[in-house]
Amino acid sequence: MASERQLSPGSGAALSRRSLLGRTAAVAAGATAGATALTAAAAGTATAAARDVDVAIVGAGLAGLTAARDLVAAGKKVVVLEARDRVGGRVMGLPLAGGGVTEGGGEFIGPTQDRVKALADSLGVATFATYNSGKNLLYKDGKRTPYATDGLLGSVPPIDAAGLANAAIVQASLDDLAKQVPVDAPWTAAKAAEWDRQTFETWLRANAVVPSAKFLLDVACTSIFSAEPRELSFLFVLFYIAAAGNPSTPGTLERLTETANGAQELRFVGGSQLLPVKLAATLGDRVVLNSPVRSISRSGNRYVVSADGTTVTADRVVVALPPPLAARISYDPLLPAARDQLTQRMPMASVGKAIAIYDTPFWRADGLNGQVVSDTGVISSTFDNSPPDASYGALMGFIEADKARALDAASEAEVRAAVLKDYTTYFGEKAANPTSFVLQRWNNEGYTRGGPVSIAPPGVLTQYGPALRAPVGGIHWAGTETSTHWMGFMDGAVRSGERVAREVLAAR
């Protein structure tokens, strides 16, 4: 809210299965640890009288908590105000009826996501490899086709040769163009104005000219961004690709979408919410839950942060929220017009996750890995979310973009029926009767209202991009949307927290 997920192998002429799936999610391994994490998060609620601190932080996601950690280490007095009754933001666990948890938000990490891995290591949270064995499924034009992922062409879905060749050319073009985009200021790219005038859809129509190639790239888009190609600035897409690396490793579309050697390579033992829970525990009563911030006002050289149940006076404020949610706070004096206009123009994407639980991961016995790419139904991609010991089976599917919005007003029973219909189509009658079913619809989550990331339509980055990170007096901005690497991922959130802590310390 959280993916959350080849072209040109060798000669640059093929497209792999995982290039279509984007950010994925999986069941949190270690049921006991995951349940403890949820309990610990709920137990973190603290009553708070008025406080006087050096830095007030709004939002107890990975960005806000990381900033707090670094500021406390530097000797600063800090408080973190969180609207929800839990920490983690777009990283959360969903309890299962039979015990354990499954991931409701962000959860995967991979190569070049160095900062979230370092955080996990520091907290003693281990990782394990994402399950990625067996055949994939392509469901297209009413036909179900299993296909191997370890042949000469790798994880290439069995579409027509012309489509594969066209898709390979498109990915190579995207990667080449992304190299021209500075990750710290994409709006300064030589062709930024040209690229920001068009949508990704417009560019794809001119370049993905084979229908099957367009299908693959559309699925890749909705899986990565949880948004339709028509909603995205082409410059924003190129920046997102460029940001899928670190300062020494250029980003690529393949790294965004792959499992092995990609952004979905590893999962966290006990679930990803262990990261914010354990990090919050190191901060103790500095973290205050159930405290939505309503206003931030300047008073002389200081700031007054008013939240439900408490008021905090601080020298500086860090707002670690997605841009559209940061805009819902009242500021006095008003924010500069450029910052306010930016937040009006970067909506949250639209995503839900549906997880069906079974006695066993029965699809594995059929030689399947639980992964699907489909052109029909409410679920266009699925994944095996079973725990490492396969003590139960779990199928997860993303509900994304237009499909998510179409179901926003539907009841959970209606969504469940639609999802299980798709799972049965893909995996057979055994999928029709799960032992339990959990659903997380981020569009309907009050303090997120979408996910996994805020997106930039045409014209936003070139006109308002410089306001994304620029402090306003003593107010500083964090959150994965402000990261120059791995925007939209947990790693980006951690990087933004580390960056804003340095920024605050340098300003003192």
Side-chain angles (χ1 to χ4, degrees):
M1 144 169 49
S3 289
E4 241 167 26
R5 49 204 243 37
Q6 120 184 14
L7 298 162
S8 59
S11 65
L15 177 69
S16 86
R17 158 72 174 79
R18 296 300 298 177
S19 292
L20 314 178
L21 300 182
R23 186 159 39 260
T24 66
V27 168
T32 301
T36 301
L38 295 178
T39 302
T45 303
T47 58
R51 297 197 187 192
D52 191 291
V53 298
D54 298 315
V55 185
I57 298 175
V58 183
L62 284 173
L65 294 172
T66 299
R69 175 202 64 184
D70 291 358
L71 290 168
V72 169
K76 297 301 179 182
K77 189 176 181 181
V78 171
V79 66
V80 183
L81 300 172
E82 169 56 47
R84 301 173 178 85
D85 62 357
R86 62 173 180 83
V87 297
R90 286 167 273 183
V91 178
M92 68 174 295
L94 301 173
L96 300 176
V101 296
T102 188
E103 300 287 342
E107 75 175 89
F108 285 116
I109 67 169
T112 74
Q113 295 190 7
D114 316 308
R115 301 317 305 155
V116 70
K117 181 60 165 62
L119 173 63
D121 290 345
S122 73
L123 296 170
V125 180
T127 59
F128 66 100
T130 303
Y131 184 81
N132 195 36
S133 301
K135 291 185 177 181
N136 297 333
L137 288 175
L138 174 67
Y139 190 85
K140 189 173 187 298
D141 300 325
K143 182 181 179 182
R144 176 184 179 274
T145 306
Y147 61 100
T149 64
D150 56 359
L152 292 177
L153 296 179
S155 301
V156 180
I159 63 168
D160 57 279
L164 289 173
N166 186 201
I169 292 170
V170 169
Q171 174 158 350
S173 297
L174 289 170
D175 285 346
D176 286 344
L177 294 175
K179 293 174 183 176
Q180 303 175 38
V181 177
V183 293
D184 58 342
W187 45 89
T188 66
K191 294 186 177 180
E194 174 187 337
W195 292 335
D196 207 29
R197 280 196 297 267
Q198 61 184 307
T199 64
F200 189 33
E201 172 71 16
T202 300
W203 189 88
L204 283 177
R205 285 185 178 276
N207 291 272
V209 294
V210 179
S212 57
K214 180 63 162 56
F215 157 70
L216 295 180
L217 289 154
D218 283 348
V219 174
C221 178
T222 55
S223 297
I224 293 169
F225 298 100
S226 296
E228 303 293 339
R230 69 174 185 275
E231 300 178 272
L232 304 170
S233 157
F234 184 50
L235 176 62
F236 176 72
V237 171
L238 294 178
F239 159 69
Y240 213 83
I241 295 169
N246 60 21
S248 63
T249 309
T252 65
L253 181 57
E254 180 180 358
R255 192 174 300 115
L256 272 172
T257 58
E258 290 290 317
T259 299
N261 299 313
Q264 287 68 236
E265 185 172 66
L266 300 173
R267 294 163 52 194
F268 291 108
V269 177
S272 56
Q273 198 183 2
L274 281 179
L275 298 181
V277 167
K278 288 194 169 189
L279 185 51
T282 69
L283 298 169
D285 65 3
R286 297 180 184 89
V287 180
V288 183
L289 303 182
N290 297 304
S291 297
V293 170
R294 306 300 182 182
S295 66
I296 300 173
S297 303
R298 186 158 192 162
S299 178
N301 293 324
R302 308 198 76 207
Y303 290 86
V304 177
V305 181
S306 298
D308 290 2
T310 190
T311 300
V312 176
T313 304
D315 295 329
R316 292 186 175 269
V317 180
V318 171
V319 179
L321 303 176
L325 296 185
R328 298 181 184 185
I329 297 172
S330 175
Y331 299 88
D332 184 15
L334 293 174
L335 295 177
R339 170 69 195 185
D340 193 70
Q341 292 286 317
L342 172 79
T343 61
Q344 292 181 46
R345 287 166 166 79
M346 283 192 73
M348 299 299 288
S350 300
V351 68
K353 292 175 69 174
I355 304 99
I357 307 300
Y358 303 91
D359 290 333
T360 64
F362 60 85
W363 49 93
R364 296 185 186 180
D366 296 329
L368 301 176
N369 61 16
Q371 300 169 14
V372 172
V373 171
S374 175
D375 66 351
T376 191
V378 301
I379 300 288
S380 57
S381 58
T382 70
F383 306 91
D384 183 333
N385 273 20
S386 309
D389 62 0
S391 55
Y392 58 85
L395 283 174
M396 185 278 291
F398 282 114
I399 310 171
E400 298 181 291
D402 283 350
K403 294 177 180 179
R405 290 185 283 266
L407 291 173
D408 281 344
S411 68
E412 181 164 340
E414 290 170 327
V415 176
R416 182 182 189 275
V419 169
L420 293 183
K421 179 181 178 182
D422 288 346
Y423 288 178
T424 302
T425 296
Y426 306 147
F427 298 104
E429 287 302 319
K430 291 181 181 178
N433 298 297
T435 58
S436 61
F437 182 91
V438 289
L439 178 67
Q440 173 64 21
R441 289 188 280 184
W442 287 100
N443 293 13
N444 295 341
E445 207 277 342
Y447 292 110
T448 307
R449 300 317 303 265
V453 67
S454 296
I455 58 175
V460 174
L461 288 180
T462 49
Q463 187 67 34
Y464 305 105
L468 188 59
R469 287 183 298 275
V472 177
I475 302 176
H476 303 257
W477 312 103
T480 191
E481 285 83 3
T482 70
S483 184
T484 56
H485 289 97
W486 289 110
M487 175 187 179
F489 290 75
M490 291 184 289
D491 188 75
V494 173
R495 288 178 189 272
S496 78
E498 293 174 337
R499 184 266 306 161
V500 83
R502 294 192 298 268
E503 186 177 281
V504 168
L505 293 171
R508 296 299 298 153

